[in-house]
Amino acid sequence: MSRRTTDIPPQMALLSDTVAVKHLTRGVLSGQEDPPFVALVRASESVGGTQSRWSIEPLRHLLEEAQRRHSDVGRAQADRWLAPRLHATLRLTRAEAAEPALWNYLALVVAPDYVVWRHRSGGDGPKAGLVTAERFCGLHYKQAFARLWWTAELFRDGSDYRPVEIAGRIPDLINTVLRLDVVDHRPTARAVTRLVEQGVVRTGRELNDLVSAVNVAGSTIMYEVLAPDEGPDPEAVEYWISEAEVAPPVPHEKLPEGPDDGPIPARSVETLSSMFEKLYAEVPRRGKEPCPTEVERPRGVSLDKPYSPTWRA
Amino acid sequence: MKRLIPYPTPVGDVTFKVTGAQLDGRALDLSMVSQQDRVVALHMAGREKWREARLEIQAQIPDIELANGPWTEVVCVAVLTERATNSRTVVRLRPWSGSWGGTAVVPRGAFRARLDLTLSVVATVGGVAGRVVATAQDSWLVDLTARVPVRQRELDINEMDFRDGPHEWLRPFRDAPWLVETSGDMPTIHLNTGFEGVTELLGAGSDPTERAVGRLLATQIATDAWTAMFHSAVSDLEVDGDGVPQWPSGWRDWVLRSMLPDILPELSPADGLLEIHGRRSESSGWHELQPLIQYAASRRAHIAKNLGTVIRVLGRSGRESTG
């Protein structure tokens, strides 16, 4: 595996969706073939800088360590360990992290082996042994690395990554909560992990009940007004990113430190967590009925949706 | 989006506008704020690396109605959101000589390209704090990459549940996945969220087959939209004193100008307009035009290209699952 780092350029790059999707063959999705590195590197674009934060070597080390540590305990457990460390290694602004081409490059060129290791499906159906394409090239809550980076970004409390680790205690959390707009508000995200921390919600099903209730109430209640947050300090994020030049590799045992862009106001978290606990208590228990895994989708019309361009003149 | 709400809301209008913008402390030229299109273009030549933009916002809300009704602790907030960066900023406005005003700060790193700016009135009502009691009808678009404030969008897309949504007239169509409405200032595609799976399919992820089918569906909707818009534009044509049809304005103009060359390729646009109006009002030769209108609509919707791609993708996934 580590041989790859000698085959490919030492820096991160951008690989467009169009090119990426073309190379997601069955062989790649099953891990039986490597993606064609030479062709992919040739088709990719520079990230526009040579700072050490774009270096792929620390990323490779981190991903190999994640596999080594979790090969026995279960690969889903790796998310919780990797999310804060990936976030602290690949230091990005949100604007940079919103670029799918960066994640495509990481998945197809730098670490396809990790994507297959983490996301290959079990069982013996027709899709057994395959990774779904969206783990390589997909939305921020689906793509193998984007989902971890964004989990760390949306759940961290300033420089403190502990809430991210708490979030990782329930594997479903990333799948169900990350896509919802309500967690874009820091105190809301923290209040959800607070209830996980306190043991109020323990299972994926309980979490679904909680976030559905929070999301439905959020359509008529503006949590930002009840629980104000001055918001993160963008200059602290910039400083933290520039510190990547001198920062040592992230620790494997302890949690790394994130950007010190201001703690989430404790009172706001208190307000919301007690409110959410009440909402959760009011959720009718469904007895033995199967739990719906789908939560309400984000509302509204976005210009970013892939189907809008066709309708232009 | 309006929906049924279990608490009283004011009937008065809520409106707002961006009255000015600054980039790193320098005032933007007024031409970069379009009141008509409700767009702010933040890209300034020679300042690629700006750090912070500030938007001055001014809002009008029904103050008197709110003061005399069941609402307390009324606040007026501007909300900046961008889906791609999961960024959401809420700014409290302050009452100031008959309106509400405030400044929204847009740090560069937290946003990527296009932000939605909306305005809400939040109040305590029925003992519940933080209720959204009103939202401005129209939102603004803040474009970080544009030099000129124009909207890229020529169609409104309205996602709502036809059966349970607030629009009575959509209810009879509850089993339709979509409807095209061409009556307003802007053609609107109503997408039925009550038709399970449609919005998910259109926003499909990265599975190539799913995406191909999603594109095909989008193509089908677009074909419907173009056909409906063309018919609507032709039937709304106004004639001058000599019976000569006049070019309409707005979307009707660009629909006709872009489709006529495909329908009557041998005629100039002006002659094409005359011909098409003649055929429709005299009902002679109108039926013969239908395949051509269909063809023009399918071209605008890129149907050949999208269908061809879907067939390729399906063929490939078929080969993969058998081989």
Side-chain angles (χ1 to χ4, degrees), chain A residues 21 93-95 98-99 133-134 137 140 150 181 184 219-222 224-225 238 297 299 301 303 305 307 311, chain B residues 3 7 51 83-86 88 90 92 109 111-112 130-132 153 155 157 159 200 202 206 211 218 222:
Chain A
V21 168
T93 63
R94 287 192 174 201
E99 174 56 80
E134 65 194 1
C137 171
H140 80 277
W150 281 106
D181 289 348
D184 297 352
S219 63
T220 61
I221 289 176
M222 192 169 279
E224 285 87 351
V225 171
E238 263 177 50
R297 286 173 59 82
R299 288 160 185 277
V301 175
L303 287 168
K305 281 180 185 168
Y307 55 88
W311 291 334
Chain B
R3 53 186 163 260
Y7 50 88
R51 298 162 67 89
R83 189 56 68 72
T85 47
N86 297 300
R88 181 176 163 92
V90 174
R92 275 189 192 228
F111 294 95
R112 179 177 168 76
R131 289 284 201 196
V132 178
R153 184 171 56 166
L155 285 180
I157 300 161
E159 293 183 12
E200 286 83 354
L202 285 167
S206 57
R211 200 148 67 170

CSV table of all heavy atoms in Angstrom, one decimal, chain A residues 21 93-95 98-99 133-134 137 140 150 181 184 219-222 224-225 238 297 299 301 303 305 307 311, chain B residues 3 7 51 83-86 88 90 92 109 111-112 130-132 153 155 157 159 200 202 206 211 218 222:
chain,number,residue,atom,x,y,z
A,21,VAL,N,-16.0,9.8,-12.0
A,21,VAL,CA,-17.0,8.9,-12.2
A,21,VAL,C,-16.7,7.9,-13.3
A,21,VAL,O,-17.0,6.7,-13.2
A,21,VAL,CB,-18.3,9.6,-12.5
A,21,VAL,CG1,-19.4,8.6,-13.0
A,21,VAL,CG2,-18.8,10.3,-11.3
A,93,THR,N,-10.3,25.6,4.8
A,93,THR,CA,-11.5,26.5,5.0
A,93,THR,C,-12.7,25.7,4.5
A,93,THR,O,-12.6,24.8,3.8
A,93,THR,CB,-11.4,27.8,4.3
A,93,THR,OG1,-11.4,27.5,2.9
A,93,THR,CG2,-10.1,28.6,4.6
A,94,ARG,N,-13.9,26.2,5.0
A,94,ARG,CA,-15.1,25.6,4.5
A,94,ARG,C,-15.2,25.7,3.0
A,94,ARG,O,-15.7,24.8,2.3
A,94,ARG,CB,-16.3,26.2,5.2
A,94,ARG,CG,-16.4,25.8,6.6
A,94,ARG,CD,-17.8,26.1,7.1
A,94,ARG,NE,-17.9,25.6,8.5
A,94,ARG,CZ,-19.1,25.4,9.1
A,94,ARG,NH1,-20.2,25.7,8.4
A,94,ARG,NH2,-19.1,25.0,10.3
A,95,ALA,N,-14.8,26.8,2.5
A,95,ALA,CA,-14.9,27.0,1.0
A,95,ALA,C,-14.1,26.0,0.3
A,95,ALA,O,-14.5,25.4,-0.7
A,95,ALA,CB,-14.4,28.4,0.7
A,98,ALA,N,-15.6,22.5,0.5
A,98,ALA,CA,-16.9,22.3,-0.3
A,98,ALA,C,-16.5,22.0,-1.7
A,98,ALA,O,-17.5,21.8,-2.5
A,98,ALA,CB,-17.7,23.6,-0.3
A,99,GLU,N,-15.3,21.8,-2.0
A,99,GLU,CA,-14.9,21.4,-3.4
A,99,GLU,C,-14.8,19.9,-3.5
A,99,GLU,O,-13.9,19.2,-3.0
A,99,GLU,CB,-13.5,22.0,-3.7
A,99,GLU,CG,-12.8,21.7,-5.0
A,99,GLU,CD,-13.7,22.0,-6.2
A,99,GLU,OE1,-13.7,23.2,-6.6
A,99,GLU,OE2,-14.4,21.1,-6.7
A,133,ALA,N,-20.5,3.8,-5.4
A,133,ALA,CA,-19.7,4.8,-6.0
A,133,ALA,C,-19.7,6.1,-5.2
A,133,ALA,O,-18.7,6.9,-5.3
A,133,ALA,CB,-20.2,5.1,-7.4
A,134,GLU,N,-20.8,6.4,-4.5
A,134,GLU,CA,-20.9,7.7,-3.8
A,134,GLU,C,-19.8,7.8,-2.6
A,134,GLU,O,-19.6,8.8,-2.1
A,134,GLU,CB,-22.3,7.9,-3.2
A,134,GLU,CG,-22.6,6.8,-2.2
A,134,GLU,CD,-24.1,6.8,-1.9
A,134,GLU,OE1,-24.9,7.6,-2.5
A,134,GLU,OE2,-24.5,6.0,-1.0
A,137,CYS,N,-17.1,9.3,-4.8
A,137,CYS,CA,-17.4,10.6,-5.5
A,137,CYS,C,-18.9,10.8,-5.1
A,137,CYS,O,-19.8,10.2,-5.7
A,137,CYS,CB,-17.2,10.4,-7.0
A,137,CYS,SG,-17.8,11.7,-8.0
A,140,HIS,N,-21.4,15.5,0.5
A,140,HIS,CA,-20.5,15.6,1.7
A,140,HIS,C,-20.9,14.7,2.8
A,140,HIS,O,-20.0,14.4,3.6
A,140,HIS,CB,-20.5,17.1,2.2
A,140,HIS,CG,-21.7,17.4,3.0
A,140,HIS,ND1,-22.9,17.8,2.5
A,140,HIS,CD2,-21.9,17.4,4.3
A,140,HIS,CE1,-23.8,18.0,3.4
A,140,HIS,NE2,-23.2,17.8,4.6
A,150,TRP,N,-16.3,16.8,7.5
A,150,TRP,CA,-17.5,17.7,7.9
A,150,TRP,C,-18.0,17.3,9.2
A,150,TRP,O,-18.5,18.2,9.9
A,150,TRP,CB,-18.6,17.6,6.8
A,150,TRP,CG,-18.2,18.5,5.6
A,150,TRP,CD1,-17.8,18.0,4.4
A,150,TRP,CD2,-18.2,19.9,5.5
A,150,TRP,NE1,-17.6,19.1,3.5
A,150,TRP,CE2,-17.8,20.3,4.2
A,150,TRP,CE3,-18.5,20.9,6.4
A,150,TRP,CZ2,-17.7,21.6,3.8
A,150,TRP,CZ3,-18.4,22.3,6.0
A,150,TRP,CH2,-18.0,22.6,4.7
A,181,ASP,N,-29.9,20.5,7.8
A,181,ASP,CA,-29.4,21.9,7.9
A,181,ASP,C,-29.4,22.4,9.4
A,181,ASP,O,-28.6,23.3,9.7
A,181,ASP,CB,-30.4,22.8,7.2
A,181,ASP,CG,-30.3,22.7,5.7
A,181,ASP,OD1,-29.3,22.1,5.2
A,181,ASP,OD2,-31.1,23.2,4.9
A,184,ASP,N,-26.1,22.9,11.2
A,184,ASP,CA,-25.2,24.0,10.7
A,184,ASP,C,-25.1,25.1,11.8
A,184,ASP,O,-24.3,26.0,11.7
A,184,ASP,CB,-25.7,24.7,9.4
A,184,ASP,CG,-25.7,23.6,8.3
A,184,ASP,OD1,-25.1,22.5,8.5
A,184,ASP,OD2,-26.2,24.0,7.2
A,219,SER,N,-38.5,23.6,11.9
A,219,SER,CA,-39.1,24.2,10.8
A,219,SER,C,-40.0,25.4,11.2
A,219,SER,O,-40.3,26.3,10.4
A,219,SER,CB,-39.9,23.2,10.0
A,219,SER,OG,-41.0,22.7,10.7
A,220,THR,N,-40.4,25.5,12.5
A,220,THR,CA,-41.2,26.6,13.0
A,220,THR,C,-40.5,27.4,14.1
A,220,THR,O,-40.9,28.5,14.4
A,220,THR,CB,-42.6,26.2,13.5
A,220,THR,OG1,-42.4,25.4,14.6
A,220,THR,CG2,-43.4,25.6,12.4
A,221,ILE,N,-39.4,26.8,14.6
A,221,ILE,CA,-38.7,27.5,15.7
A,221,ILE,C,-37.3,27.9,15.2
A,221,ILE,O,-36.6,27.0,14.6
A,221,ILE,CB,-38.6,26.7,17.0
A,221,ILE,CG1,-40.0,26.6,17.6
A,221,ILE,CG2,-37.6,27.2,18.0
A,221,ILE,CD1,-40.1,25.7,18.8
A,222,MET,N,-36.8,29.1,15.4
A,222,MET,CA,-35.5,29.4,15.0
A,222,MET,C,-34.6,29.3,16.2
A,222,MET,O,-34.5,30.1,17.1
A,222,MET,CB,-35.4,30.8,14.4
A,222,MET,CG,-34.1,31.1,13.7
A,222,MET,SD,-34.1,32.6,12.7
A,222,MET,CE,-34.9,32.1,11.2
A,224,GLU,N,-31.5,29.6,16.4
A,224,GLU,CA,-30.5,30.6,16.5
A,224,GLU,C,-30.9,31.8,17.4
A,224,GLU,O,-30.0,32.5,17.9
A,224,GLU,CB,-30.1,31.2,15.1
A,224,GLU,CG,-29.3,30.2,14.2
A,224,GLU,CD,-30.1,29.2,13.5
A,224,GLU,OE1,-31.3,29.2,13.7
A,224,GLU,OE2,-29.5,28.5,12.6
A,225,VAL,N,-32.2,32.1,17.4
A,225,VAL,CA,-32.7,33.2,18.2
A,225,VAL,C,-32.7,32.8,19.7
A,225,VAL,O,-32.4,33.5,20.6
A,225,VAL,CB,-34.1,33.7,17.7
A,225,VAL,CG1,-34.7,34.6,18.7
A,225,VAL,CG2,-33.9,34.3,16.3
A,238,GLU,N,-8.0,30.9,9.9
A,238,GLU,CA,-6.8,31.2,9.0
A,238,GLU,C,-5.5,30.9,9.7
A,238,GLU,O,-4.6,30.4,9.1
A,238,GLU,CB,-6.9,32.6,8.6
A,238,GLU,CG,-7.6,32.8,7.3
A,238,GLU,CD,-7.7,34.3,6.9
A,238,GLU,OE1,-6.7,35.0,7.0
A,238,GLU,OE2,-8.8,34.8,6.6
A,297,ARG,N,-35.9,15.4,4.8
A,297,ARG,CA,-34.8,16.0,4.0
A,297,ARG,C,-34.8,17.5,4.1
A,297,ARG,O,-35.8,18.1,4.5
A,297,ARG,CB,-35.1,15.7,2.5
A,297,ARG,CG,-34.7,14.2,2.1
A,297,ARG,CD,-35.1,14.0,0.7
A,297,ARG,NE,-34.5,14.9,-0.2
A,297,ARG,CZ,-33.2,14.7,-0.7
A,297,ARG,NH1,-32.6,13.6,-0.3
A,297,ARG,NH2,-32.7,15.5,-1.5
A,299,ARG,N,-35.2,21.2,3.4
A,299,ARG,CA,-36.2,21.9,2.6
A,299,ARG,C,-35.6,22.9,1.7
A,299,ARG,O,-34.5,23.4,1.9
A,299,ARG,CB,-37.3,22.5,3.4
A,299,ARG,CG,-38.2,21.6,4.1
A,299,ARG,CD,-38.8,22.3,5.3
A,299,ARG,NE,-39.6,21.4,6.0
A,299,ARG,CZ,-40.9,21.1,5.7
A,299,ARG,NH1,-41.4,21.6,4.6
A,299,ARG,NH2,-41.5,20.2,6.5
A,301,VAL,N,-35.2,25.2,-2.1
A,301,VAL,CA,-34.7,25.0,-3.5
A,301,VAL,C,-33.2,25.5,-3.5
A,301,VAL,O,-33.0,26.7,-3.1
A,301,VAL,CB,-35.5,25.8,-4.5
A,301,VAL,CG1,-34.9,25.7,-5.9
A,301,VAL,CG2,-36.9,25.2,-4.5
A,303,LEU,N,-29.8,26.3,-5.8
A,303,LEU,CA,-29.2,26.4,-7.1
A,303,LEU,C,-28.1,25.4,-7.4
A,303,LEU,O,-27.7,25.2,-8.5
A,303,LEU,CB,-28.7,27.8,-7.3
A,303,LEU,CG,-29.7,28.9,-7.4
A,303,LEU,CD1,-29.1,30.3,-7.3
A,303,LEU,CD2,-30.5,28.8,-8.7
A,305,LYS,N,-28.3,22.3,-7.0
A,305,LYS,CA,-28.7,21.0,-7.4
A,305,LYS,C,-28.3,20.6,-8.8
A,305,LYS,O,-28.4,21.4,-9.7
A,305,LYS,CB,-30.2,20.9,-7.2
A,305,LYS,CG,-30.6,20.7,-5.8
A,305,LYS,CD,-32.0,20.7,-5.5
A,305,LYS,CE,-32.3,20.6,-4.1
A,305,LYS,NZ,-33.7,20.8,-3.7
A,307,TYR,N,-29.8,19.2,-11.1
A,307,TYR,CA,-30.7,19.2,-12.2
A,307,TYR,C,-31.1,20.6,-12.7
A,307,TYR,O,-31.8,20.7,-13.7
A,307,TYR,CB,-32.0,18.4,-11.9
A,307,TYR,CG,-32.7,18.9,-10.6
A,307,TYR,CD1,-33.6,19.9,-10.7
A,307,TYR,CD2,-32.4,18.3,-9.4
A,307,TYR,CE1,-34.3,20.2,-9.6
A,307,TYR,CE2,-33.1,18.7,-8.3
A,307,TYR,CZ,-34.0,19.7,-8.4
A,307,TYR,OH,-34.7,20.1,-7.2
A,311,TRP,N,-32.3,23.3,-17.2
A,311,TRP,CA,-33.5,24.2,-17.4
A,311,TRP,C,-33.1,25.6,-17.8
A,311,TRP,O,-34.0,26.4,-17.9
A,311,TRP,CB,-34.4,24.1,-16.2
A,311,TRP,CG,-35.0,22.8,-15.9
A,311,TRP,CD1,-35.3,21.9,-16.9
A,311,TRP,CD2,-35.4,22.2,-14.7
A,311,TRP,NE1,-35.8,20.8,-16.4
A,311,TRP,CE2,-35.9,21.0,-15.0
A,311,TRP,CE3,-35.3,22.7,-13.4
A,311,TRP,CZ2,-36.4,20.1,-14.0
A,311,TRP,CZ3,-35.8,21.8,-12.4
A,311,TRP,CH2,-36.4,20.6,-12.7
B,3,ARG,N,-46.3,27.1,4.8
B,3,ARG,CA,-47.0,25.9,5.2
B,3,ARG,C,-48.0,26.1,6.3
B,3,ARG,O,-48.0,27.2,6.9
B,3,ARG,CB,-45.9,24.8,5.6
B,3,ARG,CG,-45.0,25.3,6.6
B,3,ARG,CD,-43.9,24.4,6.9
B,3,ARG,NE,-42.9,25.0,7.7
B,3,ARG,CZ,-41.8,25.5,7.1
B,3,ARG,NH1,-41.5,25.3,5.8
B,3,ARG,NH2,-40.9,26.1,7.8
B,7,TYR,N,-50.0,28.3,14.8
B,7,TYR,CA,-50.1,29.5,15.7
B,7,TYR,C,-50.3,30.7,14.8
B,7,TYR,O,-50.1,30.7,13.6
B,7,TYR,CB,-48.7,29.6,16.5
B,7,TYR,CG,-47.5,29.5,15.6
B,7,TYR,CD1,-47.0,30.7,15.1
B,7,TYR,CD2,-46.8,28.3,15.4
B,7,TYR,CE1,-45.8,30.6,14.3
B,7,TYR,CE2,-45.7,28.2,14.7
B,7,TYR,CZ,-45.2,29.4,14.1
B,7,TYR,OH,-44.1,29.3,13.3
B,51,ARG,N,-11.1,39.5,2.3
B,51,ARG,CA,-11.3,38.7,3.5
B,51,ARG,C,-12.7,38.8,4.1
B,51,ARG,O,-13.2,37.8,4.6
B,51,ARG,CB,-10.3,39.2,4.6
B,51,ARG,CG,-8.9,39.0,4.2
B,51,ARG,CD,-8.0,39.9,5.1
B,51,ARG,NE,-8.0,39.4,6.4
B,51,ARG,CZ,-7.2,38.5,6.9
B,51,ARG,NH1,-6.2,38.0,6.1
B,51,ARG,NH2,-7.2,38.1,8.1
B,83,ARG,N,-25.7,26.1,1.1
B,83,ARG,CA,-25.7,24.6,1.2
B,83,ARG,C,-24.4,24.0,1.1
B,83,ARG,O,-24.0,23.1,1.9
B,83,ARG,CB,-26.7,24.1,0.1
B,83,ARG,CG,-27.1,22.7,0.2
B,83,ARG,CD,-27.8,22.2,1.5
B,83,ARG,NE,-29.1,22.8,1.8
B,83,ARG,CZ,-30.2,22.4,1.3
B,83,ARG,NH1,-30.2,21.6,0.2
B,83,ARG,NH2,-31.3,22.9,1.7
B,84,ALA,N,-23.6,24.4,0.1
B,84,ALA,CA,-22.3,23.7,-0.2
B,84,ALA,C,-21.3,23.8,1.0
B,84,ALA,O,-20.6,22.8,1.2
B,84,ALA,CB,-21.7,24.3,-1.4
B,85,THR,N,-21.3,24.8,1.8
B,85,THR,CA,-20.4,25.0,2.9
B,85,THR,C,-21.0,24.7,4.2
B,85,THR,O,-20.4,24.9,5.2
B,85,THR,CB,-19.8,26.4,2.9
B,85,THR,OG1,-20.8,27.3,2.8
B,85,THR,CG2,-18.7,26.6,1.8
B,86,ASN,N,-22.3,24.3,4.2
B,86,ASN,CA,-23.0,24.1,5.5
B,86,ASN,C,-22.9,25.3,6.4
B,86,ASN,O,-22.9,25.2,7.6
B,86,ASN,CB,-22.5,22.9,6.2
B,86,ASN,CG,-22.7,21.6,5.4
B,86,ASN,OD1,-23.8,21.2,5.1
B,86,ASN,ND2,-21.6,20.9,5.1
B,88,ARG,N,-24.3,28.9,7.9
B,88,ARG,CA,-25.5,29.5,8.2
B,88,ARG,C,-25.2,30.6,9.2
B,88,ARG,O,-24.7,30.3,10.3
B,88,ARG,CB,-26.5,28.5,8.7
B,88,ARG,CG,-27.8,29.0,9.1
B,88,ARG,CD,-28.7,27.8,9.5
B,88,ARG,NE,-29.9,28.3,10.2
B,88,ARG,CZ,-31.0,28.5,9.7
B,88,ARG,NH1,-31.2,28.3,8.4
B,88,ARG,NH2,-32.0,28.9,10.4
B,90,VAL,N,-26.9,34.0,11.2
B,90,VAL,CA,-28.1,34.7,11.6
B,90,VAL,C,-27.8,36.0,12.2
B,90,VAL,O,-27.0,36.0,13.2
B,90,VAL,CB,-29.0,33.8,12.5
B,90,VAL,CG1,-30.2,34.6,13.0
B,90,VAL,CG2,-29.5,32.5,11.8
B,92,ARG,N,-29.1,39.6,13.9
B,92,ARG,CA,-30.3,40.3,14.4
B,92,ARG,C,-30.3,41.7,13.9
B,92,ARG,O,-29.3,42.4,14.0
B,92,ARG,CB,-30.2,40.3,15.9
B,92,ARG,CG,-30.7,39.1,16.6
B,92,ARG,CD,-30.8,39.4,18.1
B,92,ARG,NE,-31.1,38.1,18.8
B,92,ARG,CZ,-32.0,38.0,19.7
B,92,ARG,NH1,-32.7,39.0,20.1
B,92,ARG,NH2,-32.2,36.8,20.3
B,109,GLY,N,-13.7,32.8,3.9
B,109,GLY,CA,-13.4,31.3,4.0
B,109,GLY,C,-14.6,30.5,4.3
B,109,GLY,O,-14.6,29.3,4.0
B,111,PHE,N,-17.6,30.8,3.2
B,111,PHE,CA,-18.6,30.6,2.1
B,111,PHE,C,-17.8,30.4,0.8
B,111,PHE,O,-16.7,30.8,0.6
B,111,PHE,CB,-19.5,31.9,2.0
B,111,PHE,CG,-20.4,32.1,3.1
B,111,PHE,CD1,-20.0,32.9,4.2
B,111,PHE,CD2,-21.6,31.4,3.2
B,111,PHE,CE1,-20.8,33.1,5.3
B,111,PHE,CE2,-22.4,31.6,4.3
B,111,PHE,CZ,-22.1,32.4,5.3
B,112,ARG,N,-18.5,29.9,-0.2
B,112,ARG,CA,-17.8,29.5,-1.4
B,112,ARG,C,-18.2,30.3,-2.6
B,112,ARG,O,-17.4,30.9,-3.3
B,112,ARG,CB,-18.1,28.0,-1.6
B,112,ARG,CG,-17.5,27.4,-2.9
B,112,ARG,CD,-17.8,25.9,-2.9
B,112,ARG,NE,-17.5,25.4,-4.2
B,112,ARG,CZ,-16.2,25.1,-4.6
B,112,ARG,NH1,-15.2,25.4,-3.8
B,112,ARG,NH2,-16.0,24.7,-5.8
B,130,GLY,N,-39.3,31.8,20.2
B,130,GLY,CA,-38.5,31.5,19.0
B,130,GLY,C,-39.3,31.1,17.8
B,130,GLY,O,-38.7,30.6,16.9
B,131,ARG,N,-40.6,31.3,17.8
B,131,ARG,CA,-41.4,30.9,16.6
B,131,ARG,C,-41.1,31.8,15.4
B,131,ARG,O,-41.1,33.0,15.6
B,131,ARG,CB,-42.9,31.0,17.0
B,131,ARG,CG,-43.4,30.0,17.9
B,131,ARG,CD,-43.5,28.7,17.3
B,131,ARG,NE,-44.5,27.8,18.0
B,131,ARG,CZ,-44.6,26.5,17.8
B,131,ARG,NH1,-43.8,25.9,17.0
B,131,ARG,NH2,-45.4,25.8,18.5
B,132,VAL,N,-41.0,31.2,14.3
B,132,VAL,CA,-40.8,32.0,13.1
B,132,VAL,C,-42.3,32.4,12.7
B,132,VAL,O,-43.1,31.5,12.3
B,132,VAL,CB,-40.2,31.2,11.9
B,132,VAL,CG1,-40.1,32.0,10.6
B,132,VAL,CG2,-38.8,30.7,12.4
B,153,ARG,N,-30.8,32.1,-13.0
B,153,ARG,CA,-31.9,31.1,-13.0
B,153,ARG,C,-33.0,31.7,-13.8
B,153,ARG,O,-33.4,32.9,-13.6
B,153,ARG,CB,-32.3,30.9,-11.6
B,153,ARG,CG,-33.4,29.9,-11.5
B,153,ARG,CD,-33.5,29.6,-10.0
B,153,ARG,NE,-33.8,30.7,-9.2
B,153,ARG,CZ,-34.2,30.7,-8.0
B,153,ARG,NH1,-34.4,29.5,-7.4
B,153,ARG,NH2,-34.4,31.8,-7.3
B,155,LEU,N,-35.9,29.8,-14.4
B,155,LEU,CA,-37.1,29.1,-14.0
B,155,LEU,C,-37.2,29.0,-12.5
B,155,LEU,O,-36.2,28.9,-11.9
B,155,LEU,CB,-37.1,27.7,-14.5
B,155,LEU,CG,-37.3,27.4,-16.0
B,155,LEU,CD1,-37.3,26.0,-16.3
B,155,LEU,CD2,-38.7,28.0,-16.4
B,157,ILE,N,-38.2,26.9,-9.3
B,157,ILE,CA,-38.5,25.5,-9.0
B,157,ILE,C,-39.1,25.5,-7.6
B,157,ILE,O,-38.5,26.0,-6.7
B,157,ILE,CB,-37.2,24.7,-9.0
B,157,ILE,CG1,-36.6,24.7,-10.4
B,157,ILE,CG2,-37.6,23.2,-8.6
B,157,ILE,CD1,-35.2,24.3,-10.5
B,159,GLU,N,-40.7,23.3,-4.7
B,159,GLU,CA,-40.9,22.0,-4.2
B,159,GLU,C,-42.0,22.0,-3.1
B,159,GLU,O,-41.8,22.7,-2.1
B,159,GLU,CB,-39.6,21.4,-3.5
B,159,GLU,CG,-38.5,21.2,-4.5
B,159,GLU,CD,-37.3,20.5,-3.9
B,159,GLU,OE1,-37.4,20.1,-2.7
B,159,GLU,OE2,-36.2,20.5,-4.5
B,200,GLU,N,-35.6,13.1,-4.5
B,200,GLU,CA,-34.4,12.3,-4.2
B,200,GLU,C,-33.7,11.9,-5.5
B,200,GLU,O,-32.5,12.0,-5.7
B,200,GLU,CB,-34.7,11.1,-3.3
B,200,GLU,CG,-35.0,11.4,-1.9
B,200,GLU,CD,-36.4,11.8,-1.7
B,200,GLU,OE1,-37.2,11.9,-2.6
B,200,GLU,OE2,-36.8,11.9,-0.5
B,202,LEU,N,-34.0,13.3,-8.4
B,202,LEU,CA,-33.5,14.5,-9.1
B,202,LEU,C,-32.2,15.0,-8.5
B,202,LEU,O,-31.3,15.4,-9.2
B,202,LEU,CB,-34.5,15.6,-9.2
B,202,LEU,CG,-35.6,15.4,-10.1
B,202,LEU,CD1,-36.7,16.4,-9.9
B,202,LEU,CD2,-35.2,15.6,-11.6
B,206,SER,N,-24.1,9.8,-6.4
B,206,SER,CA,-23.1,9.5,-7.4
B,206,SER,C,-23.2,8.2,-8.1
B,206,SER,O,-22.4,7.9,-8.9
B,206,SER,CB,-21.7,9.7,-6.7
B,206,SER,OG,-21.7,8.7,-5.7
B,211,ARG,N,-27.9,8.5,-11.2
B,211,ARG,CA,-27.7,9.8,-11.7
B,211,ARG,C,-28.3,9.9,-13.1
B,211,ARG,O,-28.9,10.9,-13.5
B,211,ARG,CB,-26.3,10.2,-11.6
B,211,ARG,CG,-26.1,11.7,-11.6
B,211,ARG,CD,-24.9,12.1,-10.8
B,211,ARG,NE,-23.7,11.7,-11.5
B,211,ARG,CZ,-22.5,12.1,-11.0
B,211,ARG,NH1,-22.4,13.0,-10.1
B,211,ARG,NH2,-21.4,11.7,-11.6
B,218,ALA,N,-35.1,14.8,-15.2
B,218,ALA,CA,-34.9,16.3,-15.4
B,218,ALA,C,-35.2,16.7,-16.8
B,218,ALA,O,-35.8,17.7,-17.1
B,218,ALA,CB,-33.5,16.7,-14.9
B,222,ALA,N,-37.9,19.2,-18.2
B,222,ALA,CA,-37.5,20.3,-19.0
B,222,ALA,C,-38.2,20.4,-20.3
B,222,ALA,O,-38.6,21.5,-20.8
B,222,ALA,CB,-36.0,20.3,-19.2
